[in-house]
Amino acid sequence: DQQVKQNSPSLSVQEGRISILNCDYTNSMFDYFLWYKKYPAEGPTFLISISSIKDKNEDGRFTVFLNKSAKHLSLHIVPSQPGDSAVYFCAAMRGGATNKLIFGTGTLLAVQP
Amino acid sequence: EPEVTQTPSHQVTQMGQEVILRCVPISNHLYFYWYRQILGQKVEFLVSFYNNEISEKSEIFDDQFSVERPDGSNFTLKIRSTKLEDSAMYFCASRATGGHDTQYFGPGTRLTVL
């Protein structure tokens, strides 16, 4: 049951450049999407979210884009910093009583100094 | 900044033993969750809890699992008879309100079943 997919297991970028992490979903009932960052031996840390009624949300260096027709979202990090090196998870939510999160498999981002 | 805490950070147990994983959610939060991540796999939803009862559970959350909020602060996950395949990181999360509100995760408990 892969309702949320992150097809790139890893990504390497140079410090100062843009990092683009991608996520695809299959369930059209999802109406809210989140990105979490995770370091080893720590829990996921919330980064940024977007509602399905929007196509872009920006917070500092982080921007999330949503293309509902393509069922695709992406996270842009500009400029990338070595401290951004972590696993990034895309998660989707279908509004309702529980709002459980459905996670993708994650993308390991390595930002090279 | 308020945070979700979990204890222990690492639990080693023998197959068939009972374990209790503990979580202290953020104090004004009303919705509570357990997720798990088997090594190399995605984070999976186990159960959600609101108003002192389970609101949803996944197919993973069978009769061997139970959750409880024994007092005003703790939220526990009990596995009655552990299996080898229960070895995973277990994450607790909490959320303040209904609707599209962010879930905040604890650091996790690594459960190793031998």
Side-chain angles (χ1 to χ4, degrees):
Chain A
D1 179 15
Q2 293 200 33
Q3 299 187 69
V4 179
K5 293 182 250 187
Q6 294 175 256
N7 291 320
S8 298
S10 63
L11 175 68
S12 181
V13 300
Q14 290 293 317
E15 181 179 3
R17 306 293 290 268
I18 184 171
S19 296
I20 300 176
L21 298 103
N22 294 302
C23 177
D24 297 292
Y25 62 96
T26 56
N27 190 338
S28 57
M29 300 299 292
F30 289 144
D31 60 0
Y32 200 68
F33 303 89
L34 307 91
W35 285 93
Y36 284 84
K37 178 168 80 171
K38 186 180 180 302
Y39 295 115
E42 294 186 13
T45 302
F46 170 72
L47 270 179
I48 192 168
S49 60
I50 188 166
S51 166
S52 61
I53 62 173
K54 296 186 175 181
D55 55 18
K56 177 182 173 181
N57 189 26
E58 194 170 350
D59 183 2
R61 297 186 297 115
F62 302 93
T63 303
V64 56
F65 296 91
L66 175 62
N67 182 335
K68 277 186 66 178
S69 60
K71 293 192 178 69
H72 177 84
L73 62 154
S74 61
L75 174 67
H76 293 210
I77 306 173
V78 182
S80 302
Q81 299 173 354
D84 295 329
S85 298
V87 177
Y88 288 77
F89 289 98
C90 168
M93 176 194 295
R94 175 182 171 178
T98 67
N99 285 355
K100 68 182 180 187
L101 294 176
I102 307 297
F103 282 87
T105 49
T107 296
L108 175 61
L109 173 65
V111 180
Q112 310 295 335
Chain B
E1 183 176 322
E3 58 183 18
V4 177
T5 59
Q6 290 185 243
T7 54
S9 57
H10 191 188
Q11 175 88 47
V12 181
T13 190
Q14 295 290 326
M15 188 171 56
Q17 295 296 304
E18 175 184 287
V19 294
I20 298 176
L21 310 183
R22 291 183 166 79
C23 168
V24 179
I26 295 173
S27 64
N28 62 339
H29 284 191
L30 302 176
Y31 297 79
F32 313 110
Y33 304 82
W34 284 101
Y35 293 82
R36 79 172 185 189
Q37 184 182 28
I38 295 172
L39 187 63
Q41 298 185 23
K42 62 173 65 178
V43 177
E44 302 174 286
F45 166 78
L46 290 179
V47 66
S48 59
F49 192 86
Y50 170 70
N51 200 25
N52 282 320
E53 61 183 23
I54 290 173
S55 46
E56 186 174 351
K57 59 185 179 181
S58 73
E59 57 192 29
I60 302 168
F61 195 90
D62 61 22
D63 292 344
Q64 294 301 312
F65 291 86
S66 63
V67 290
E68 194 178 33
R69 189 158 161 80
D71 53 42
S73 59
N74 290 285
F75 179 51
T76 62
L77 173 69
K78 181 193 291 186
I79 310 174
R80 286 189 187 80
S81 178
T82 50
K83 307 185 194 70
L84 295 176
E85 54 265 36
D86 293 328
S87 295
M89 282 291 290
Y90 287 80
F91 296 106
C92 173
S94 69
R95 175 167 66 95
T97 64
H100 295 139
D101 200 6
T102 301
Q103 291 182 31
Y104 293 91
F105 284 76
T109 293
R110 177 169 299 284
L111 176 65
T112 301
V113 182
L114 302 176

